[in-house]
Amino acid sequence: MSNLQDSCASAVAPTSLEKAYQFGLNRNSHMSFAFDDTKVREKLFLEFELRTKELSGLVLYMARINHADFVSIQIKEGQACLGYDLGHGNISGCVPFSINDGTWHKIRVQRTKQRAVLAVLTVERRYIKQMISPKTADLLDVVGIVYVGGLPQDYTTKRIGPILYSINGCIRNLTMIGSPVSTTTVVNEDFKLDMAAPTSSHMVGRCFVATETGTYFDGTGYLKAVSSYRVGLDVSITFEFRTSKTSGVLLAVSNQANDGLGLEIVEGKLLFHVDNGAGRITAEYMPEGRSFCDGQWHNVTANKLRHRLELVVDGEKIQAQSPNARSNTCDTNDPIYVGGYPAGVRQAALSTISSFRGCMRNLKITKASKTMNVQFNKALEIKGVQPLSCPAEAA
């Protein structure tokens, strides 16, 4: 739930690139496109632009049902790599040029029968790798579906090594061209793949003009980070955030009675609430002069120590404690939600229902000296949240 009244005065919507698509939101982010597989048997031309900072990830894959024939494009050690098999043995190679610098690079594959050329094109020059598949097989026999950006959860291959996870990066301007087998005149056929209208799509986001590390919450949803968590006697939570709203849920876990823990921003104040069952304890931080609307990252550490709370925001410590020292255990066995929570779920330790809008990173939850790094791209449920990339301007 969100309204315009709680927007920061300086809030601007993050600018997205048109016709560019963010993959890697989870392991199985992908698009698929159906095409006429008879038109790629002899010839295949592929071209697209990729922007990534990752060392590795899967960019494109097509294959026969038994994967005897396939074509794959992967990023390995920051380099673009092509692999293919026409049924009699595979060949693979990489262009020896790092492309994982966060800028756009054009990648092109041209295959005619056994021969293929993989090229990375920059403004200055072309970097190429030439390959010839082994033996005499020269026709590519694949099912007419190409997967872009990753693979579906129920689809796997043993032909291309361990890099089967979606590339954390942006892809645009995808072109795929084939031609009918052995016509006397060469007839190229553009499959006209439209990334705005794929055959199927799963966990694909938008590409921000400029990005930085973090997870973007658009102010409409939430993320379920942990399926069941017991707060108990003591816990320590640390994270960084920046926001463009004056109110919003940061993190919450609660049972259906009165026990719960919550972190939230309400009218510009950061509140840390815990209820051990005998009433809510709150540590409250009010930023001096400047508000959280400053577009900057803020550091938060929230410690629950039995019936005492410590809240440290940007180095300033606030403490609070319950007069009831014997009530010291927060008996939850419930999900941890970040950035908001689903309608109908009770939260005993929050006062706002407004979803967080902004960016978050480095969420760590420590109990009994065991630290859990919460990986947002492995969230159990996700709504209105884009893991792994934040707009670099104010969220």
Side-chain angles (χ1 to χ4, degrees):
M1 187 174 288
S2 170
N3 56 45
L4 293 172
Q5 284 76 43
D6 61 4
S7 277
C8 296
S10 61
V12 287
T15 42
S16 300
L17 289 165
E18 276 190 40
K19 297 182 179 173
Y21 299 88
Q22 171 79 43
F23 295 87
L25 302 190
N26 71 12
R27 180 182 175 84
N28 297 106
S29 294
H30 71 276
M31 287 181 181
S32 77
F33 299 90
F35 65 95
D36 181 351
D37 51 88
T38 64
K39 306 280 174 62
V40 300
R41 286 169 68 80
E42 282 194 341
K43 291 192 169 191
L44 174 63
F45 174 91
L46 288 160
E47 187 179 274
F48 56 89
E49 290 175 70
L50 173 70
R51 183 183 79 181
T52 188
K53 293 179 180 173
E54 295 298 307
L55 273 173
S56 62
L58 182 61
V59 179
L60 182 142
Y61 188 75
M62 63 177 83
R64 198 168 167 172
I65 286 178
N66 64 1
H67 301 276
D69 294 35
F70 73 86
V71 175
S72 72
I73 300 173
Q74 294 163 300
I75 302 303
K76 299 179 184 178
E77 299 294 323
Q79 298 179 353
C81 301
L82 170 69
Y84 63 101
D85 190 329
L86 306 179
H88 281 184
N90 68 307
I91 179 88
S92 62
C94 304
V95 172
F97 175 71
S98 292
I99 62 166
N100 60 336
D101 59 358
T103 65
W104 288 100
H105 293 278
K106 186 179 281 187
I107 296 170
R108 181 183 291 165
V109 172
Q110 288 171 286
R111 175 203 146 248
T112 302
K113 295 192 173 177
Q114 290 174 272
R115 293 176 177 272
V117 178
L118 171 65
V120 175
L121 298 101
T122 68
V123 178
E124 297 84 29
R125 57 173 290 190
R126 291 169 70 216
Y127 298 85
I128 65 166
K129 177 74 179 175
Q130 299 189 53
M131 287 167 251
I132 302 179
S133 64
K135 305 203 176 155
T136 55
D138 60 5
L139 296 181
L140 176 67
D141 184 9
V142 294
V143 174
I145 295 175
V146 58
Y147 295 104
V148 175
L151 296 174
Q153 195 168 353
D154 57 359
Y155 183 99
T156 190
T157 172
K158 295 186 168 66
R159 297 301 316 277
I160 57 173
I163 300 174
L164 302 174
Y165 42 87
S166 175
I167 182 74
N168 173 16
C170 287
I171 297 175
R172 67 183 181 191
N173 299 336
L174 173 66
T175 302
M176 182 166 140
I177 297 170
S179 68
V181 172
S182 291
T183 46
T184 45
T185 53
V186 175
V187 183
N188 285 339
E189 179 155 333
D190 187 342
F191 292 111
K192 294 190 165 56
L193 304 187
D194 181 2
M195 295 189 82
T199 306
S200 74
S201 175
H202 173 71
M203 288 295 287
V204 177
R206 51 193 180 138
C207 292
F208 303 119
V209 172
T211 64
E212 61 180 321
T213 303
T215 289
Y216 178 65
F217 295 75
D218 70 8
T220 67
Y222 62 88
L223 179 148
K224 183 176 176 179
V226 178
S227 61
S228 180
Y229 193 79
R230 179 171 163 75
V231 174
L233 287 170
D234 303 320
V235 70
S236 176
I237 299 165
T238 64
F239 60 93
E240 295 170 75
F241 78 92
R242 59 180 173 78
T243 188
S244 55
K245 263 170 70 175
T246 55
S247 294
V249 174
L250 293 164
L251 180 145
V253 54
S254 170
N255 68 13
Q256 296 314 292
N258 293 321
D259 293 44
L261 176 151
L263 282 149
E264 61 184 354
I265 303 167
V266 178
E267 294 172 0
K269 293 183 276 206
L270 203 155
L271 307 176
F272 175 31
H273 310 286
V274 170
D275 195 327
N276 290 325
R280 187 184 287 189
I281 325 159
T282 299
E284 178 183 306
Y285 174 84
M286 180 77 191
E288 280 180 29
R290 65 190 201 291
S291 73
F292 291 126
C293 281
D294 58 4
Q296 302 300 306
W297 287 96
H298 297 278
N299 282 289
V300 178
T301 300
N303 298 321
K304 174 194 181 298
L305 308 153
R306 295 178 176 250
H307 67 293
R308 294 190 301 113
L309 305 186
E310 284 180 359
L311 174 64
V312 185
V313 183
D314 298 332
E316 288 185 52
K317 187 191 280 190
I318 311 293
Q319 300 190 61
Q321 67 177 44
S322 166
N324 188 339
R326 278 185 302 199
S327 175
N328 55 26
T329 302
C330 183
D331 287 317
T332 61
N333 198 10
D334 300 87
I336 296 178
Y337 291 102
V338 179
Y341 59 94
V345 171
R346 176 174 163 74
Q347 292 296 343
L350 289 176
S351 49
T352 185
I353 56 172
S354 183
S355 288
F356 172 73
R357 187 174 68 217
C359 289
M360 215 180 280
R361 65 187 181 197
N362 299 333
L363 173 59
K364 296 181 172 69
I365 302 173
T366 303
K367 174 185 279 294
S369 75
K370 281 202 183 104
T371 297
M372 171 170 61
N373 288 305
V374 178
Q375 293 179 291
F376 290 141
N377 61 328
K378 294 182 178 170
L380 305 166
E381 286 175 27
I382 198 160
K383 177 174 178 268
V385 181
Q386 182 159 314
L388 301 177
S389 73
C390 279
E393 66 271 2

